[in-house]
Amino acid sequence: MANHTETSQQVEFERKQHKEEMKQQVVSFAFMIIFTVIAFGMVILEIGSVFLGPTLILLAIVQVLFQFYYFMHMKNKGHGMVSIMIYGGISVGALTIITFVALIWW
């Protein structure tokens, strides 16, 4: 009987965790949709390019971070090696872009 109680408590605990995780994913998805609408709105309204470019890049970076953190489950334990590989790839990509920009402008 004790085993059955522990099992039902475990199932209830997992159900609450899944519900909370789904809620976080829906909120994250809503934010990504809002960021996309803001980006499209800025382009349609022809906001000045000095402000438009950096803002679009910032919105894109925030969306990528949301996707990594929530949809690719990077916030969960046990994803250490995957995190290292993804962040390593991002670092190499960023260094490559910085290098080419520096070579072109200097």
Side-chain angles (χ1 to χ4, degrees):
M1 181 114 170
N3 190 18
H4 177 68
T5 304
E6 291 175 12
T7 305
S8 64
Q9 289 175 348
Q10 180 70 20
V11 168
E12 186 63 31
F13 176 73
E14 289 176 2
R15 186 174 290 152
K16 285 181 182 180
Q17 276 192 315
H18 289 296
K19 183 178 180 181
E20 184 64 30
E21 185 172 340
M22 182 60 74
K23 181 178 151 184
Q24 290 174 351
Q25 287 183 348
V26 169
V27 169
S28 175
F29 182 72
F31 275 123
M32 286 189 283
I33 294 296
I34 290 168
F35 291 155
T36 301
V37 168
I38 290 170
F40 275 117
M42 289 174 64
V43 171
I44 289 172
L45 294 174
E46 298 177 3
I47 304 290
S49 63
V50 173
F51 179 72
L52 181 66
T55 304
L56 291 179
I57 290 172
L58 180 66
L59 287 173
I61 290 171
V62 169
Q63 283 186 331
V64 167
L65 292 175
F66 268 122
Q67 289 183 6
F68 278 152
Y69 192 72
Y70 288 106
F71 294 111
M72 296 183 74
H73 305 285
M74 299 296 286
K75 64 183 171 67
N76 297 347
K77 293 180 181 178
H79 288 94
M81 189 60 174
V82 175
S83 296
I84 290 171
M85 297 298 282
I86 288 176
Y87 294 134
I90 290 171
S91 299
V92 169
L95 286 173
T96 302
I97 291 170
I98 290 169
T99 301
F100 283 125
V101 166
L103 288 174
I104 290 171
W105 282 353
W106 284 333

